Short mmCIF file of all heavy atoms in Angstrom, two decimals:
data_model
loop_
_atom_site.label_atom_id
_atom_site.label_comp_id
_atom_site.label_asym_id
_atom_site.label_seq_id
_atom_site.Cartn_x
_atom_site.Cartn_y
_atom_site.Cartn_z
N ARG A 154 118.41 97.16 89.21
CA ARG A 154 117.26 96.47 88.87
C ARG A 154 117.43 95.77 87.57
O ARG A 154 117.72 96.47 86.53
CB ARG A 154 116.08 97.50 88.74
CG ARG A 154 114.75 96.75 88.34
CD ARG A 154 113.88 97.59 87.55
NE ARG A 154 112.53 96.95 87.36
CZ ARG A 154 111.69 97.37 86.55
NH1 ARG A 154 111.87 98.41 85.73
NH2 ARG A 154 110.48 96.80 86.41
N ARG A 156 115.58 93.02 84.75
CA ARG A 156 114.27 92.48 84.38
C ARG A 156 114.32 91.70 83.10
O ARG A 156 114.85 92.18 82.12
CB ARG A 156 113.24 93.55 84.36
CG ARG A 156 111.85 93.08 83.89
CD ARG A 156 110.86 94.15 83.89
NE ARG A 156 109.55 93.63 83.40
CZ ARG A 156 108.64 92.93 84.06
NH1 ARG A 156 108.88 92.67 85.36
NH2 ARG A 156 107.59 92.44 83.41
N ASP A 199 122.58 88.17 101.70
CA ASP A 199 121.27 87.34 101.94
C ASP A 199 120.33 87.63 100.80
O ASP A 199 120.50 88.54 100.06
CB ASP A 199 120.77 87.52 103.30
CG ASP A 199 120.67 88.93 103.78
OD1 ASP A 199 120.84 89.81 102.96
OD2 ASP A 199 120.34 89.05 104.99
N TRP A 203 109.97 86.85 96.15
CA TRP A 203 108.52 86.67 96.01
C TRP A 203 108.34 85.78 94.76
O TRP A 203 109.01 86.05 93.77
CB TRP A 203 107.82 87.92 95.80
CG TRP A 203 106.47 87.90 95.15
CD1 TRP A 203 105.22 87.61 95.84
CD2 TRP A 203 106.20 88.26 93.75
NE1 TRP A 203 104.27 87.68 94.85
CE2 TRP A 203 104.72 88.07 93.64
CE3 TRP A 203 106.93 88.53 92.65
CZ2 TRP A 203 104.10 88.28 92.51
CZ3 TRP A 203 106.25 88.72 91.44
CH2 TRP A 203 104.84 88.63 91.37
N ARG A 222 121.00 91.07 98.83
CA ARG A 222 121.70 92.16 99.47
C ARG A 222 123.21 91.86 99.50
O ARG A 222 123.60 90.70 99.75
CB ARG A 222 121.16 92.25 100.97
CG ARG A 222 121.53 93.62 101.57
CD ARG A 222 120.71 93.72 102.88
NE ARG A 222 120.96 92.68 103.78
CZ ARG A 222 121.54 92.80 104.95
NH1 ARG A 222 121.90 93.98 105.41
NH2 ARG A 222 121.72 91.71 105.73
N ASN A 226 125.76 96.49 101.56
CA ASN A 226 124.35 96.83 101.66
C ASN A 226 123.67 97.22 100.40
O ASN A 226 122.56 97.70 100.38
CB ASN A 226 124.14 97.85 102.79
CG ASN A 226 122.77 97.60 103.51
OD1 ASN A 226 122.18 96.47 103.30
ND2 ASN A 226 122.40 98.51 104.31
N GLN A 230 118.02 93.65 92.45
CA GLN A 230 116.54 93.54 92.51
C GLN A 230 116.23 92.99 91.10
O GLN A 230 116.26 93.71 90.14
CB GLN A 230 115.96 94.96 92.69
CG GLN A 230 114.52 95.18 92.41
CD GLN A 230 114.24 96.67 92.56
OE1 GLN A 230 115.03 97.53 92.87
NE2 GLN A 230 112.95 97.00 92.29
N GLU A 232 113.89 90.75 88.54
CA GLU A 232 112.57 90.37 88.19
C GLU A 232 112.55 89.38 87.01
O GLU A 232 113.41 89.49 86.11
CB GLU A 232 111.60 91.52 87.82
CG GLU A 232 111.67 92.65 88.72
CD GLU A 232 111.06 93.95 88.17
OE1 GLU A 232 110.27 93.78 87.23
OE2 GLU A 232 111.44 94.97 88.59
N LYS A 238 102.95 90.88 78.85
CA LYS A 238 102.50 91.14 77.50
C LYS A 238 103.24 92.31 76.89
O LYS A 238 103.57 93.23 77.57
CB LYS A 238 101.05 91.34 77.45
CG LYS A 238 100.20 90.23 78.00
CD LYS A 238 100.20 89.00 77.08
CE LYS A 238 99.38 87.85 77.63
NZ LYS A 238 99.38 86.72 76.72
N ARG A 244 115.46 94.60 80.42
CA ARG A 244 115.99 95.91 80.88
C ARG A 244 116.83 95.84 82.06
O ARG A 244 116.58 94.95 82.84
CB ARG A 244 114.78 96.80 81.20
CG ARG A 244 114.15 97.41 80.00
CD ARG A 244 112.94 98.22 80.42
NE ARG A 244 111.89 97.40 81.07
CZ ARG A 244 111.05 97.97 81.91
NH1 ARG A 244 111.02 99.22 82.33
NH2 ARG A 244 110.09 97.13 82.43
N GLU A 246 118.52 98.73 85.23
CA GLU A 246 118.72 100.11 85.65
C GLU A 246 119.72 100.02 86.70
O GLU A 246 119.70 99.19 87.56
CB GLU A 246 117.45 100.67 86.16
CG GLU A 246 116.14 100.49 85.31
CD GLU A 246 114.93 101.07 85.82
OE1 GLU A 246 114.89 101.58 86.88
OE2 GLU A 246 113.91 100.98 85.12
N PHE A 248 121.77 102.41 89.62
CA PHE A 248 121.81 103.60 90.28
C PHE A 248 123.07 103.72 91.05
O PHE A 248 123.45 102.80 91.76
CB PHE A 248 120.54 103.65 91.24
CG PHE A 248 119.27 103.51 90.51
CD1 PHE A 248 118.54 102.34 90.47
CD2 PHE A 248 118.74 104.57 89.73
CE1 PHE A 248 117.38 102.10 89.76
CE2 PHE A 248 117.56 104.41 89.03
CZ PHE A 248 116.82 103.13 89.06
N THR A 250 125.92 106.66 93.10
CA THR A 250 126.03 107.99 93.78
C THR A 250 126.24 109.14 92.94
O THR A 250 126.01 110.30 93.42
CB THR A 250 127.06 107.90 94.92
OG1 THR A 250 128.38 107.49 94.28
CG2 THR A 250 126.73 106.90 96.04
N THR A 253 123.29 107.51 86.78
CA THR A 253 122.33 106.50 86.60
C THR A 253 122.54 105.97 85.26
O THR A 253 122.76 106.67 84.31
CB THR A 253 120.94 107.19 86.71
OG1 THR A 253 120.74 107.82 88.00
CG2 THR A 253 119.83 106.20 86.56
N ARG A 340 109.48 82.68 104.41
CA ARG A 340 109.04 84.10 104.47
C ARG A 340 110.09 84.93 105.26
O ARG A 340 109.91 85.86 105.95
CB ARG A 340 107.72 84.19 105.31
CG ARG A 340 106.59 83.33 104.82
CD ARG A 340 106.15 83.51 103.43
NE ARG A 340 105.63 84.87 103.22
CZ ARG A 340 105.68 85.51 101.99
NH1 ARG A 340 106.19 84.83 100.89
NH2 ARG A 340 105.22 86.67 101.84
N ARG A 341 111.35 84.70 104.91
CA ARG A 341 112.53 85.55 105.49
C ARG A 341 113.69 85.56 104.63
O ARG A 341 113.75 84.73 103.61
CB ARG A 341 112.78 85.07 106.89
CG ARG A 341 113.31 83.65 106.97
CD ARG A 341 113.63 83.22 108.41
NE ARG A 341 114.02 81.76 108.41
CZ ARG A 341 115.13 81.24 108.07
NH1 ARG A 341 116.16 82.10 107.66
NH2 ARG A 341 115.33 79.97 108.06
N TRP A 342 114.60 86.49 104.91
CA TRP A 342 115.96 86.56 104.13
C TRP A 342 116.66 85.24 104.52
O TRP A 342 116.76 84.84 105.61
CB TRP A 342 116.65 87.79 104.54
CG TRP A 342 116.02 89.05 104.02
CD1 TRP A 342 114.97 89.69 104.69
CD2 TRP A 342 116.56 89.87 103.00
NE1 TRP A 342 114.67 90.80 103.95
CE2 TRP A 342 115.59 90.93 102.89
CE3 TRP A 342 117.53 89.71 102.08
CZ2 TRP A 342 115.72 91.95 101.90
CZ3 TRP A 342 117.66 90.73 101.14
CH2 TRP A 342 116.79 91.84 101.04
N ARG B 154 105.20 98.03 89.88
CA ARG B 154 106.43 98.69 90.37
C ARG B 154 106.24 100.09 90.36
O ARG B 154 105.83 100.74 89.40
CB ARG B 154 107.60 98.33 89.44
CG ARG B 154 108.88 98.99 89.88
CD ARG B 154 109.71 99.33 88.72
NE ARG B 154 111.04 99.91 89.15
CZ ARG B 154 111.94 100.41 88.40
NH1 ARG B 154 111.64 100.62 87.18
NH2 ARG B 154 113.10 100.84 88.86
N ARG B 156 108.01 103.93 91.54
CA ARG B 156 109.39 104.43 92.02
C ARG B 156 109.26 105.91 92.11
O ARG B 156 108.68 106.61 91.23
CB ARG B 156 110.36 104.05 90.94
CG ARG B 156 111.74 104.66 91.12
CD ARG B 156 112.75 104.22 90.15
NE ARG B 156 114.04 104.93 90.41
CZ ARG B 156 114.99 104.55 91.32
NH1 ARG B 156 114.78 103.54 92.01
NH2 ARG B 156 116.01 105.37 91.40
N ASP B 199 101.42 90.64 103.58
CA ASP B 199 102.66 90.84 104.39
C ASP B 199 103.61 91.74 103.61
O ASP B 199 103.48 92.04 102.46
CB ASP B 199 103.21 89.60 104.85
CG ASP B 199 103.32 88.49 103.79
OD1 ASP B 199 103.11 88.81 102.59
OD2 ASP B 199 103.65 87.39 104.12
N TRP B 203 113.87 96.40 102.12
CA TRP B 203 115.43 96.69 102.23
C TRP B 203 115.49 98.14 102.42
O TRP B 203 114.81 98.95 101.76
CB TRP B 203 116.03 96.21 100.84
CG TRP B 203 117.43 96.81 100.63
CD1 TRP B 203 118.61 96.39 101.11
CD2 TRP B 203 117.65 97.96 99.74
NE1 TRP B 203 119.64 97.12 100.64
CE2 TRP B 203 119.13 98.16 99.78
CE3 TRP B 203 116.89 98.79 98.93
CZ2 TRP B 203 119.76 99.14 99.03
CZ3 TRP B 203 117.48 99.76 98.24
CH2 TRP B 203 118.87 99.97 98.27
N ARG B 222 102.93 92.08 99.67
CA ARG B 222 102.18 90.90 98.96
C ARG B 222 100.74 91.12 99.28
O ARG B 222 100.41 91.28 100.47
CB ARG B 222 102.76 89.61 99.53
CG ARG B 222 102.42 88.44 98.60
CD ARG B 222 103.24 87.21 99.05
NE ARG B 222 103.00 86.91 100.43
CZ ARG B 222 102.42 85.79 100.84
NH1 ARG B 222 102.08 84.83 100.00
NH2 ARG B 222 102.29 85.51 102.12
N ASN B 226 98.12 87.18 96.03
CA ASN B 226 99.58 86.89 95.84
C ASN B 226 100.14 87.89 94.83
O ASN B 226 101.32 87.74 94.37
CB ASN B 226 99.80 85.51 95.33
CG ASN B 226 101.12 84.98 95.87
OD1 ASN B 226 101.74 85.68 96.77
ND2 ASN B 226 101.53 83.77 95.48
N GLN B 230 105.75 96.66 94.44
CA GLN B 230 107.21 96.66 94.50
C GLN B 230 107.50 98.13 94.51
O GLN B 230 107.50 98.78 93.44
CB GLN B 230 107.71 95.89 93.36
CG GLN B 230 109.16 96.04 93.03
CD GLN B 230 109.51 95.22 91.65
OE1 GLN B 230 108.66 94.63 91.14
NE2 GLN B 230 110.68 95.37 91.24
N GLU B 232 109.83 101.53 95.30
CA GLU B 232 111.09 101.97 95.55
C GLU B 232 111.13 103.49 95.87
O GLU B 232 110.31 104.22 95.34
CB GLU B 232 112.02 101.78 94.23
CG GLU B 232 112.03 100.49 93.63
CD GLU B 232 112.63 100.46 92.21
OE1 GLU B 232 113.34 101.42 91.91
OE2 GLU B 232 112.28 99.61 91.49
N LYS B 238 120.59 110.22 90.74
CA LYS B 238 121.05 111.44 89.98
C LYS B 238 120.29 111.36 88.63
O LYS B 238 119.98 110.39 88.11
CB LYS B 238 122.47 111.28 89.67
CG LYS B 238 123.38 111.41 90.95
CD LYS B 238 123.30 112.63 91.65
CE LYS B 238 124.21 112.72 92.88
NZ LYS B 238 124.20 114.02 93.52
N ARG B 244 108.05 107.10 88.29
CA ARG B 244 107.59 106.12 87.34
C ARG B 244 106.71 105.10 87.95
O ARG B 244 106.90 104.71 89.12
CB ARG B 244 108.71 105.47 86.67
CG ARG B 244 109.42 106.29 85.58
CD ARG B 244 110.56 105.44 85.01
NE ARG B 244 111.60 105.31 85.93
CZ ARG B 244 112.54 104.33 85.86
NH1 ARG B 244 112.42 103.44 84.93
NH2 ARG B 244 113.45 104.21 86.76
N GLU B 246 105.07 100.98 86.76
CA GLU B 246 104.88 99.99 85.72
C GLU B 246 103.79 98.97 86.26
O GLU B 246 103.94 98.54 87.38
CB GLU B 246 106.14 99.20 85.49
CG GLU B 246 107.30 100.10 85.14
CD GLU B 246 108.64 99.48 84.86
OE1 GLU B 246 108.71 98.19 84.91
OE2 GLU B 246 109.70 100.14 84.71
N PHE B 248 101.88 95.41 85.52
CA PHE B 248 101.85 94.21 84.70
C PHE B 248 100.57 93.49 84.87
O PHE B 248 100.17 93.23 86.02
CB PHE B 248 103.07 93.38 85.03
CG PHE B 248 104.32 94.05 84.86
CD1 PHE B 248 105.05 94.62 85.92
CD2 PHE B 248 104.87 94.32 83.47
CE1 PHE B 248 106.24 95.31 85.69
CE2 PHE B 248 106.01 95.04 83.29
CZ PHE B 248 106.66 95.53 84.37
N THR B 250 97.66 90.27 83.15
CA THR B 250 97.59 89.04 82.40
C THR B 250 97.35 89.31 80.95
O THR B 250 97.65 88.45 80.03
CB THR B 250 96.62 88.18 82.99
OG1 THR B 250 95.33 88.82 83.10
CG2 THR B 250 96.97 87.58 84.28
N THR B 253 100.22 95.51 79.65
CA THR B 253 101.23 96.20 80.43
C THR B 253 100.98 97.68 80.35
O THR B 253 100.66 98.20 79.30
CB THR B 253 102.64 95.81 79.95
OG1 THR B 253 102.76 94.41 79.85
CG2 THR B 253 103.78 96.44 80.64
N ARG B 340 114.57 90.84 109.39
CA ARG B 340 115.02 90.10 108.25
C ARG B 340 114.01 89.10 107.76
O ARG B 340 114.34 87.99 107.32
CB ARG B 340 116.38 89.35 108.46
CG ARG B 340 117.53 90.15 108.95
CD ARG B 340 117.98 91.33 108.15
NE ARG B 340 118.45 90.94 106.88
CZ ARG B 340 118.31 91.70 105.76
NH1 ARG B 340 117.75 92.98 105.94
NH2 ARG B 340 118.84 91.39 104.70
N TRP B 342 109.49 88.59 106.35
CA TRP B 342 108.14 89.21 106.07
C TRP B 342 107.42 89.43 107.23
O TRP B 342 107.36 88.60 108.13
CB TRP B 342 107.33 88.32 105.04
CG TRP B 342 107.98 88.19 103.62
CD1 TRP B 342 109.05 87.46 103.35
CD2 TRP B 342 107.51 88.88 102.55
NE1 TRP B 342 109.30 87.59 102.02
CE2 TRP B 342 108.35 88.50 101.46
CE3 TRP B 342 106.56 89.76 102.19
CZ2 TRP B 342 108.19 88.92 100.13
CZ3 TRP B 342 106.36 90.17 100.91
CH2 TRP B 342 107.26 89.76 99.86
#
Side-chain angles (χ1 to χ4, degrees):
Chain A
R154 181 213 188 191
R156 174 175 176 83
D199 48 11
W203 161 82
R222 197 168 57 117
N226 214 9
Q230 167 186 358
E232 307 166 27
K238 297 291 182 179
R244 280 181 294 155
E246 306 181 3
F248 302 101
T250 52
T253 302
R340 310 299 301 154
R341 59 179 172 82
W342 291 77
Chain B
R154 180 212 188 191
R156 175 175 175 84
D199 48 10
W203 161 83
R222 197 169 57 116
N226 215 9
Q230 167 186 358
E232 306 166 26
K238 298 290 180 179
R244 280 181 293 156
E246 306 180 3
F248 302 102
T250 52
T253 302
R340 311 298 301 150
W342 291 77

